[in-house]
Amino acid sequence: MNFTRWSARLPGTQRRAAARTEHAVSPDRRGDGSVPAARVERLTGDSPPVPAVDGLPAREVLDRVPALVALVHGPDHRIAYVNDAYATAFGARPLGEPAREALPELAELGLLPLLDQVLRSGRPRTLKSRKAPDGRSYTFTCTPAAEQRDRDGAEGAVLVFATDVTDHAEAAERLRASERRQRETAVTLQRSLLPQELEEPDDLRIAATYQPGGTEAAVGGDWYDVITLGGGRTALVIGDVMGRGVRAAAVMGQLRTAVRAYARLDLPPHEVLQLLDGLAAEIDANQIATCAYAIHDPNEGRLVYASAGHLPILVRDENGTVLRADEPTGPPLGTGGWMHASGSVPLGPGSTAVLYTDGLVERRDEDLDEGIAALERALAGATGSPQVICDRLVRSAGVTADHDDDVAVLVLQHPARTGADGELFRNAALELLGGVEAAPRARAFASGVLTSWRFPAELHDLGVLAASELVANSLQHGTPPMRLRLRRTDRRLIIEVTDGDDHLPRRRRAEPADESGRGIAIVATIASNWGSRRTPGGGKAVWCEFALPRTP
């Protein structure tokens, strides 16, 4: 006898008694190699019989189980039996009737094709958590109850077993609803922290898009920004906080705010990232972020940038050739201990640049470089406005509503202006040579240029005064080389003076007896905006702007 199988059904004391009587089993019963049916076993002379599973009446068991049970026969699935639980849930069912007419609840749940599959294959099938007409959820398991035709010629049967999983289904739905609310909160926070309207620089045309990941993906910390720095220069930022959910979005908001504050200092890109690196570690030492910060100066026709672990900027020139700005790239923000550096890439008239996050190019089944190469090919063939290019790049990358990661894209275009439009964008520059005699030459130059640009008399006089004061300030406090530059756009007049001294001027209140200190105050009073910055290689630039009257 197989004692292990037999004794597993006995209490501990009975097992020990059975072990003691194992040696009393006759040798001919142990040697026949068979296991007799354990319908009724008697352990000792006075022990009560223990019923085995084989001895239990199937009908009585099925009638009493809380699960729903039905037995159907043949290709029409005629009803052979339903238990009390089934009748309580869906009502009594007439025996012998086909399931399509007599069991409409199974037809509504799509269970009839499943019954056909079970009959054909002879294998069980399960349909998980379906909501029945009675409002409760069940998991249905269909099991073959007989061969296709048994020895009596009867047709095959299928046992339908339904377990009530309403509590589990409702708990799962509550969990999904909670996750949806959390995701909606994160998406709302994320979108509220992104710029609601992009700033519009004079010399660039810009478009951006942000698309959160699909419903199964938590919202990340992708962001972008456009910041006009004054003097015709524009800062462009894109970043990605590593992480998901509200926390990542909150960190993103803090970094974006900090970037805008640092940008107002008009620092080189690598110095901005250096400041952000320390701030990111203070915000959350366990979260890092990638970021690319770039500055466009229309006078130079280049994009000066620095990258903290971010993907390379792509630039397409006027001929359609795409350049990948790979270097220099430092580690992500928040890692510390790294000195960032700035690089540059040409961005002249007719060029288009793309800044993006990894959700646009990263795929689980391919290398990251392959995704960037595919984006380069898409950019090479993309034409039209920045918004058209932005949408085309997103489509070409296969980004859909159920994408598994956030996507942020920033497209900037330096249009080539010709004809009447080109007349609205003009430049003029004068090298300031010599000493104090350079001041009258600068005034005469500014007056002649502004007259040729046909500015109104009032704006002409204010422009000449501002140029005179900036040049006088540079001659007094700066060092050679010095240059006066005048630039007009369709919106403003920009006057800028550069020299070789890196000491930045500041506005202060001059006392009545002071003989100096009023130049910057005068410029700040008459101009729409003014500022200063250090230039690469030492030196500084001081500039001011005048808003042009809008033409009807």
Side-chain angles (χ1 to χ4, degrees):
M1 176 179 289
N2 188 334
F3 173 70
T4 303
R5 176 188 176 199
W6 177 67
S7 63
R9 295 192 294 268
L10 303 178
T13 55
Q14 293 173 335
R15 292 177 186 171
R16 288 190 292 272
R20 289 194 295 270
T21 60
E22 177 73 13
H23 300 290
V25 180
S26 59
D28 54 339
R29 290 185 63 189
R30 289 196 304 267
D32 61 4
S34 63
V35 180
R39 297 185 180 277
V40 178
E41 306 288 355
R42 186 173 296 279
L43 303 177
T44 61
D46 298 328
S47 299
V50 178
V53 173
D54 296 341
L56 297 177
R59 175 62 182 266
E60 182 179 350
V61 171
L62 294 179
D63 282 343
R64 295 183 179 182
V65 296
L68 281 59
V69 181
L71 183 66
V72 295
H73 274 277
D76 294 335
H77 311 302
R78 295 184 302 277
I79 303 175
Y81 165 79
V82 294
N83 71 344
D84 294 341
Y86 196 104
T88 301
F90 299 116
R93 295 292 184 265
L95 301 182
E97 296 295 325
R100 187 171 297 277
E101 289 78 21
L103 299 174
E105 61 277 359
L106 298 188
E108 292 181 19
L109 292 169
L111 215 64
L112 298 185
L114 200 67
L115 297 177
D116 295 335
Q117 293 180 21
V118 173
L119 274 181
R120 288 194 303 268
S121 66
R123 295 181 179 180
R125 295 287 189 272
T126 298
L127 196 65
K128 293 185 177 181
S129 190
R130 292 296 178 92
K131 195 167 187 177
D134 66 346
R136 303 190 67 79
S137 298
Y138 299 91
T139 291
F140 291 87
T141 300
C142 302
T143 305
E147 298 295 336
Q148 286 286 25
R149 289 190 176 276
D150 58 22
R151 287 175 298 180
D152 298 329
E155 294 177 321
V158 177
L159 185 69
V160 181
F161 190 88
T163 305
D164 190 337
V165 294
T166 303
D167 292 342
H168 295 284
E170 290 178 350
E173 179 56 34
R174 288 194 297 270
L175 179 60
R176 286 192 294 269
S178 175
E179 292 174 345
R180 284 195 298 269
R181 288 192 298 270
Q182 291 181 8
R183 184 177 185 279
E184 290 170 0
T185 301
V187 170
T188 301
L189 175 62
Q190 174 85 342
R191 290 194 180 278
S192 67
L193 294 174
L194 290 173
Q196 304 305 302
E197 292 184 4
L198 292 177
E199 297 184 17
E200 299 180 359
D202 295 355
D203 294 273
L204 297 177
R205 298 293 176 262
I206 299 177
T209 185
Y210 167 75
Q211 183 166 326
T215 55
E216 300 299 323
V219 176
D222 295 16
W223 95 90
Y224 56 83
D225 208 348
V226 178
I227 309 165
T228 52
L229 302 178
R233 303 166 76 248
T234 306
L236 306 120
V237 194
I238 195 160
D240 186 0
V241 176
M242 303 304 173
R244 291 289 184 268
V246 175
R247 179 59 183 166
V251 172
M252 177 274 290
Q254 295 177 78
L255 290 178
R256 176 175 174 257
T257 302
V259 168
R260 294 193 69 87
Y262 295 147
R264 298 305 176 192
L265 300 176
D266 215 340
L267 300 172
H270 64 276
E271 293 189 23
V272 172
L273 292 190
Q274 208 71 51
L275 293 172
L276 279 178
D277 185 37
L279 180 65
E282 294 178 7
I283 293 174
D284 191 339
N286 296 320
Q287 275 190 306
I288 60 176
T290 64
C291 180
Y293 182 91
I295 295 177
H296 176 255
D297 189 336
N299 295 318
E300 299 176 0
R302 303 186 67 82
L303 195 67
V304 181
Y305 68 91
S307 175
H310 204 77
L311 298 173
I313 299 172
L314 302 182
V315 177
R316 187 192 67 194
D317 63 19
E318 64 276 12
N319 300 317
T321 303
V322 178
L323 174 65
R324 183 188 301 189
D326 278 319
E327 298 294 340
T329 299
L333 302 175
T335 55
W338 181 266
M339 293 299 296
H340 291 275
S342 294
S344 67
V345 61
L347 189 71
S351 299
T352 301
V354 178
L355 292 79
Y356 52 95
T357 57
D358 57 1
L360 185 66
V361 295
E362 189 173 32
R363 300 294 180 268
R364 295 181 180 180
D365 56 348
E366 66 180 28
D367 187 74
L368 182 60
D369 282 337
E370 295 178 6
I372 298 176
L375 182 62
E376 289 179 342
R377 293 190 294 271
L379 177 60
T383 57
S385 68
Q387 189 60 59
V388 171
I389 295 175
C390 194
D391 295 340
R392 180 170 178 177
L393 295 181
V394 171
R395 287 197 304 271
S396 68
V399 177
T400 59
D402 58 351
H403 196 61
D404 61 358
D405 195 5
D406 290 18
V407 174
V409 184
L410 183 65
V411 175
L412 55 135
Q413 197 173 68
H414 189 186
R417 296 180 172 89
T418 58
D421 190 27
E423 291 296 321
L424 298 178
F425 291 80
R426 306 286 293 274
N427 284 279
L430 172 68
E431 299 292 335
L432 300 176
L433 304 175
V436 293
E437 65 275 10
R441 289 201 305 271
R443 285 192 294 271
F445 174 78
S447 178
V449 169
L450 297 181
T451 300
S452 68
W453 289 349
R454 300 179 181 178
F455 283 160
E458 181 181 359
L459 183 58
H460 171 280
D461 295 342
L462 291 177
V464 172
L465 176 59
S468 177
E469 293 296 337
L470 291 181
V471 169
N473 186 76
S474 181
L475 291 173
Q476 182 175 358
H477 301 288
T479 58
M482 302 177 185
R483 172 184 288 185
L484 169 65
R485 175 182 286 135
L486 284 78
R487 175 174 173 78
R488 71 156 295 168
T489 69
D490 58 344
R491 304 175 191 173
R492 72 198 79 228
L493 166 66
I494 303 168
I495 301 172
E496 182 180 80
V497 175
T498 59
D499 65 58
D501 186 272
D502 63 358
H503 179 73
L504 299 181
R506 61 185 179 87
R507 183 179 180 182
R508 64 186 180 86
R509 182 185 298 276
E511 298 297 332
D514 291 344
E515 297 182 359
S516 62
R518 294 180 176 85
I520 295 299
I522 293 174
V523 170
T525 301
I526 64 175
S528 305
N529 192 16
W530 81 280
S532 62
R533 71 179 186 280
R534 291 186 173 88
T535 54
K540 66 177 178 294
V542 185
W543 54 268
C544 67
E545 297 177 349
F546 294 89
L548 300 184
R550 293 184 178 274
T551 57

